[in-house]
mmCIF file of all heavy atoms in Angstrom:
data_model
loop_
_atom_site.group_PDB
_atom_site.id
_atom_site.type_symbol
_atom_site.label_atom_id
_atom_site.label_comp_id
_atom_site.label_asym_id
_atom_site.label_seq_id
_atom_site.Cartn_x
_atom_site.Cartn_y
_atom_site.Cartn_z
ATOM 1 N N VAL Y 53 -13.635 -7.167 1.199
ATOM 2 C CA VAL Y 53 -12.762 -6.086 1.284
ATOM 3 C C VAL Y 53 -11.364 -6.297 0.771
ATOM 4 O O VAL Y 53 -10.724 -7.354 1.329
ATOM 5 C CB VAL Y 53 -12.707 -5.507 2.765
ATOM 6 C CG1 VAL Y 53 -11.934 -4.297 2.835
ATOM 7 C CG2 VAL Y 53 -14.061 -5.427 3.326
ATOM 8 N N ASP Y 54 -10.957 -5.704 -0.237
ATOM 9 C CA ASP Y 54 -9.570 -5.852 -0.873
ATOM 10 C C ASP Y 54 -8.643 -4.906 -0.110
ATOM 11 O O ASP Y 54 -8.774 -3.732 -0.193
ATOM 12 C CB ASP Y 54 -9.727 -5.614 -2.312
ATOM 13 C CG ASP Y 54 -8.281 -5.891 -3.012
ATOM 14 O OD1 ASP Y 54 -7.287 -6.161 -2.372
ATOM 15 O OD2 ASP Y 54 -8.380 -5.697 -4.261
ATOM 16 N N LEU Y 55 -7.616 -5.435 0.564
ATOM 17 C CA LEU Y 55 -6.633 -4.635 1.323
ATOM 18 C C LEU Y 55 -5.365 -4.667 0.479
ATOM 19 O O LEU Y 55 -4.322 -4.203 1.041
ATOM 20 C CB LEU Y 55 -6.398 -5.202 2.646
ATOM 21 C CG LEU Y 55 -7.607 -5.270 3.534
ATOM 22 C CD1 LEU Y 55 -7.309 -5.933 4.882
ATOM 23 C CD2 LEU Y 55 -8.177 -3.789 3.845
ATOM 24 N N GLY Y 56 -5.385 -5.011 -0.696
ATOM 25 C CA GLY Y 56 -4.239 -5.128 -1.617
ATOM 26 C C GLY Y 56 -3.394 -6.409 -1.422
ATOM 27 O O GLY Y 56 -3.397 -7.224 -2.388
ATOM 28 N N ASP Y 57 -2.939 -6.724 -0.341
ATOM 29 C CA ASP Y 57 -2.244 -7.936 -0.036
ATOM 30 C C ASP Y 57 -3.093 -9.071 0.534
ATOM 31 O O ASP Y 57 -2.708 -10.252 0.640
ATOM 32 C CB ASP Y 57 -1.044 -7.777 0.885
ATOM 33 C CG ASP Y 57 -1.466 -7.211 2.319
ATOM 34 O OD1 ASP Y 57 -2.537 -6.703 2.422
ATOM 35 O OD2 ASP Y 57 -0.586 -7.227 3.170
ATOM 36 N N GLU Y 58 -4.310 -8.858 0.830
ATOM 37 C CA GLU Y 58 -5.248 -9.800 1.297
ATOM 38 C C GLU Y 58 -6.662 -9.380 1.169
ATOM 39 O O GLU Y 58 -6.966 -8.098 0.933
ATOM 40 C CB GLU Y 58 -5.056 -10.169 2.893
ATOM 41 C CG GLU Y 58 -5.460 -9.121 3.843
ATOM 42 C CD GLU Y 58 -5.275 -9.498 5.221
ATOM 43 O OE1 GLU Y 58 -4.149 -9.427 5.688
ATOM 44 O OE2 GLU Y 58 -6.301 -9.809 5.869
ATOM 45 N N GLN Y 59 -7.567 -10.303 0.989
ATOM 46 C CA GLN Y 59 -9.007 -9.977 0.908
ATOM 47 C C GLN Y 59 -9.652 -10.735 1.981
ATOM 48 O O GLN Y 59 -9.419 -11.695 2.523
ATOM 49 C CB GLN Y 59 -9.544 -10.602 -0.420
ATOM 50 C CG GLN Y 59 -9.076 -9.812 -1.630
ATOM 51 C CD GLN Y 59 -7.636 -10.056 -2.069
ATOM 52 O OE1 GLN Y 59 -7.146 -11.221 -2.019
ATOM 53 N NE2 GLN Y 59 -6.949 -9.021 -2.384
ATOM 54 N N ASN Y 60 -10.768 -9.986 2.512
ATOM 55 C CA ASN Y 60 -11.490 -10.407 3.676
ATOM 56 C C ASN Y 60 -12.985 -10.276 3.413
ATOM 57 O O ASN Y 60 -13.488 -9.280 3.053
ATOM 58 C CB ASN Y 60 -11.252 -9.620 4.932
ATOM 59 C CG ASN Y 60 -9.799 -9.796 5.410
ATOM 60 O OD1 ASN Y 60 -9.530 -10.731 5.915
ATOM 61 N ND2 ASN Y 60 -8.998 -8.669 5.343
ATOM 62 N N ALA Y 61 -13.699 -11.481 3.586
ATOM 63 C CA ALA Y 61 -15.090 -11.515 3.367
ATOM 64 C C ALA Y 61 -15.784 -11.099 4.711
ATOM 65 O O ALA Y 61 -15.388 -11.608 5.764
ATOM 66 C CB ALA Y 61 -15.512 -12.875 2.806
ATOM 67 N N THR Y 62 -16.765 -10.283 4.579
ATOM 68 C CA THR Y 62 -17.454 -9.837 5.875
ATOM 69 C C THR Y 62 -18.918 -9.620 5.665
ATOM 70 O O THR Y 62 -19.424 -9.536 4.545
ATOM 71 C CB THR Y 62 -16.703 -8.518 6.381
ATOM 72 O OG1 THR Y 62 -17.237 -8.194 7.747
ATOM 73 C CG2 THR Y 62 -16.869 -7.407 5.360
ATOM 74 N N ASP Y 63 -19.674 -9.526 6.740
ATOM 75 C CA ASP Y 63 -21.010 -9.197 6.772
ATOM 76 C C ASP Y 63 -21.310 -7.757 6.770
ATOM 77 O O ASP Y 63 -22.353 -7.244 6.269
ATOM 78 C CB ASP Y 63 -21.797 -9.949 7.831
ATOM 79 C CG ASP Y 63 -21.659 -11.457 7.662
ATOM 80 O OD1 ASP Y 63 -21.939 -11.967 6.570
ATOM 81 O OD2 ASP Y 63 -21.338 -12.105 8.679
ATOM 82 N N ILE Y 64 -20.470 -7.031 7.420
ATOM 83 C CA ILE Y 64 -20.783 -5.635 7.776
ATOM 84 C C ILE Y 64 -19.371 -4.755 7.504
ATOM 85 O O ILE Y 64 -18.393 -5.225 7.998
ATOM 86 C CB ILE Y 64 -21.216 -5.207 9.130
ATOM 87 C CG1 ILE Y 64 -22.477 -5.963 9.457
ATOM 88 C CG2 ILE Y 64 -21.384 -3.740 9.394
ATOM 89 C CD1 ILE Y 64 -22.972 -6.095 10.963
ATOM 90 N N VAL Y 65 -19.584 -3.588 6.842
ATOM 91 C CA VAL Y 65 -18.355 -2.749 6.683
ATOM 92 C C VAL Y 65 -18.876 -1.406 7.198
ATOM 93 O O VAL Y 65 -19.965 -0.928 6.844
ATOM 94 C CB VAL Y 65 -17.907 -2.530 5.303
ATOM 95 C CG1 VAL Y 65 -16.925 -1.459 5.178
ATOM 96 C CG2 VAL Y 65 -17.408 -3.927 4.751
ATOM 97 N N ILE Y 66 -18.076 -0.805 8.126
ATOM 98 C CA ILE Y 66 -18.429 0.516 8.635
ATOM 99 C C ILE Y 66 -17.144 1.407 8.224
ATOM 100 O O ILE Y 66 -16.023 1.117 8.471
ATOM 101 C CB ILE Y 66 -18.512 0.560 10.143
ATOM 102 C CG1 ILE Y 66 -19.721 -0.383 10.558
ATOM 103 C CG2 ILE Y 66 -18.694 1.953 10.742
ATOM 104 C CD1 ILE Y 66 -19.821 -0.568 12.033
#
Side-chain angles (χ1 to χ4, degrees):
V53 181
D54 182 358
L55 299 174
D57 59 343
E58 69 178 82
Q59 287 73 42
N60 293 293
T62 185
D63 296 314
I64 300 170
V65 173
I66 299 172

